[in-house]
Amino acid sequence: MKTEELLEKYFDGQTTCEEERELRRFFASDQVPGHLEVYRPLFACIDREAEAFRAAQKEEAAPATHPAGVRKPTCLHRLYYLTTGIAAALLLCIGIAGLLPHVTPARTSYAIIDGRYCDDPQLVQAKALEALQNVGFTDEELKETITLPNLLLP
């Protein structure tokens, strides 16, 4: 297949991996015609990226080496971190649960009597009745309040 046709296929996104490798090898060689030189940097960059990717895969496949004195985390270390995390979470829950009895529940009815908080319903009711009796007027007191000395009534 001609290189120009392969380039068209490449830019249409229809090439296979082998065809792309062929294009990279072609542009890496010294046989590139002058009118195709503009594509050389593109394929050189792609070739470098492919090499870097292969090198990274080889590093991941190789066993990790640790400097002297540094140990690779083992299953026992992971178990230790897991159990300490669970223990810390339990201690936090116990601490929060220990604080709950000290929190006063929201009361729905209360009164302030003589500047003091009172939530005894019977005492509040008695004080309320006493206050209503103190506010109540007799018929005579109402007549005295309504009749003013300078108001003439027939």
Side-chain angles (χ1 to χ4, degrees):
M1 182 179 280
K2 289 182 122 185
T3 306
E4 287 88 6
E5 292 172 6
L6 206 54
L7 274 174
E8 284 182 38
K9 194 174 173 184
Y10 176 80
F11 288 122
D12 287 339
Q14 298 177 353
T15 53
T16 63
C17 290
E18 184 56 41
E19 290 170 332
E20 289 179 18
R21 278 189 218 103
E22 185 180 328
L23 280 171
R24 288 198 313 265
R25 280 192 297 266
F26 174 74
F27 283 103
S29 71
D30 293 333
Q31 301 169 354
V32 179
H35 68 284
L36 296 178
E37 272 300 317
V38 293
Y39 299 117
R40 185 187 290 266
L42 170 71
F43 286 99
C45 178
I46 292 171
D47 196 35
R48 279 195 305 269
E49 288 298 318
E51 288 296 323
F53 180 72
R54 281 193 291 273
Q57 281 184 332
K58 285 180 183 177
E59 278 185 21
E60 288 177 5
T65 57
H66 295 285
V70 178
R71 292 186 301 184
K72 184 178 178 181
T74 62
C75 187
L76 190 59
H77 284 96
R78 290 186 187 117
L79 182 63
Y80 172 74
Y81 289 127
L82 178 67
T83 54
T84 54
I86 291 171
L90 285 174
L91 281 174
L92 183 65
C93 290
I94 290 170
I96 290 172
L99 292 175
L100 289 179
H102 302 292
V103 176
T104 57
R107 296 189 176 114
T108 55
S109 59
Y110 66 94
I112 305 295
I113 301 172
D114 296 328
R116 284 182 268 139
Y117 177 87
C118 178
D119 61 351
D120 181 19
Q122 294 169 346
L123 179 62
V124 171
Q125 187 178 19
K127 288 291 186 176
L129 285 174
E130 181 183 328
L132 285 174
Q133 288 173 353
N134 288 341
V135 174
F137 293 105
T138 63
D139 289 339
E140 292 173 9
E141 290 173 337
L142 284 174
K143 284 180 187 177
E144 287 177 12
T145 307
I146 292 175
T147 52
L148 296 174
N150 55 2
L151 185 63
L152 296 172
L153 291 176

